[in-house]
Amino acid sequence: MPNLFVIGAAKCGTTSLHYYLDLHPEISMSRIKEPHFFLGPDALEPGRPWVSSREEYLDLFDAGLPIRGEASVNYATAPCRPGVPGRIAAESPNAKFIYMVRDPIARIRSGTRARIANGHLAPPSRRDPGSFWSFLEDPESPANHVVLRSRYMTQIREYLEFFPAESIMVIDTDQMLRDRVGTVARVFDFLGVDSGFRHPNFLVERNTGSTQAHGSLNSRLRKNETLRRLSVVLPEPTRKFLIESLRRFTGREIVLPEMEPELRAGLESVFRPEVEALREFTGQKFAGWSI
């Protein structure tokens, strides 16, 4: 079983981190970035390349390497998808976790662009942009699946019921952007592998296209399970070329309206105690955040 889990948060740089970790000769990251095996079989969704078979899951890793990891961002979406930490603890009790975080409201905006790009949410109406954010519903509800992804300490507490605090490393996405090489080196040190390892591709930022809506063609391609699985085995330059080509020919810029002051104030009231608790837990200031 893997012993490393990048549990989120969505739109915080997990795709890039998965890629950087896999470059290290002592680390094997899953060939499918988000297998979501520990969500349990009841959580499988049609059209997604999520793995339910134990045999298929174990086949994603090189069993001969000391660190074997995956990066399923839905592992930090309690209470909508409960029970993940317990399932991991039963199979990999000595696991380590990396949790990438960013300004919680900025994460919501980035995640919203991605949902539009993937065809899961209608773009803002030019006639009535003020109604766009109504999909957030009640931000104080613990079951609000958009808001809960930014409830970072709520998610961490789920893991602390099964794992010690020292097994969880929290990374501010802003720090990764400012000092990618140094941040990745700290991750290597946390994992107990050679922290002096360097690779020129550490300077490559992955999955930066969430500011574009890719149209119906790309949406259909993204949901095609055969093509998604094929993309796992394509050489990196080929995969990158195909993705960028789709963005160039089918994409358009997504411009989100500003949140209503009342909604933003409601979100801030929800996130403020979460952020304060996260600062206490990590000792980090998160100085660039709006809360």
Side-chain angles (χ1 to χ4, degrees), residues 50 60 91 116 127 136 179 199 221-222 252 277 285:
W50 295 0
L60 297 177
E91 295 278 3
I116 295 173
R127 294 184 178 180
L136 283 175
D179 181 16
H199 195 284
L221 291 175
R222 290 169 63 90
R252 67 182 184 275
K285 296 181 178 180

Side-chain angles (χ1 to χ4, degrees), residues 73-89:
V73 297
N74 285 317
Y75 286 172
T77 54
C80 286
R81 293 186 171 98
V84 174
R87 295 188 193 101
I88 295 176

Side-chain angles (χ1 to χ4, degrees), residues 122-199:
S125 168
R126 294 182 179 180
R127 294 184 178 180
D128 186 19
S131 65
F132 173 73
W133 292 105
S134 60
F135 73 88
L136 283 175
E137 301 171 349
D138 178 8
E140 296 187 5
S141 170
N144 187 314
H145 70 94
V146 177
V147 175
L148 65 82
R149 292 178 183 273
S150 291
R151 289 177 174 262
Y152 303 131
M153 272 309 301
T154 292
Q155 305 305 326
I156 288 173
R157 291 186 186 105
E158 294 286 318
Y159 283 85
L160 292 177
E161 293 186 18
F162 298 90
F163 298 94
E166 56 268 22
S167 69
I168 303 173
M169 181 180 192
V170 177
I171 300 176
D172 184 355
T173 301
D174 292 343
Q175 181 63 37
M176 175 73 83
L177 293 174
R178 289 193 301 268
D179 181 16
R180 194 169 302 146
V181 174
T183 302
V184 172
R186 289 195 296 110
V187 174
F188 292 155
D189 185 62
F190 169 70
L191 297 176
V193 297
D194 179 14
S195 60
F197 175 76
R198 299 291 184 270
H199 195 284

Side-chain angles (χ1 to χ4, degrees), residues 102-137:
R102 65 188 292 190
D103 182 297
I105 294 180
R107 197 218 61 78
I108 286 179
R109 294 184 65 89
S110 181
T112 298
R113 290 190 182 96
R115 293 182 68 202
I116 295 173
N118 295 336
H120 298 149
L121 181 68
S125 168
R126 294 182 179 180
R127 294 184 178 180
D128 186 19
S131 65
F132 173 73
W133 292 105
S134 60
F135 73 88
L136 283 175
E137 301 171 349

Side-chain angles (χ1 to χ4, degrees), residues 265-282:
L267 289 171
E268 289 177 352
S269 68
V270 168
F271 293 139
R272 187 166 291 109
E274 295 269 351
V275 172
E276 290 174 354
L278 185 66
R279 288 181 172 125
E280 182 178 356
F281 176 74
T282 63

Side-chain angles (χ1 to χ4, degrees), residues 23 36-37 44 63 67 99 119 124 127 136 141-142 144 172 187 224 249 255 261 269 286 289:
L23 296 172
H36 286 120
F37 177 77
L44 294 178
I67 302 296
Y99 195 22
R127 294 184 178 180
L136 283 175
S141 170
N144 187 314
D172 184 355
V187 174
N224 185 294
F249 290 111
V255 179
S269 68
F286 305 107
W289 293 13

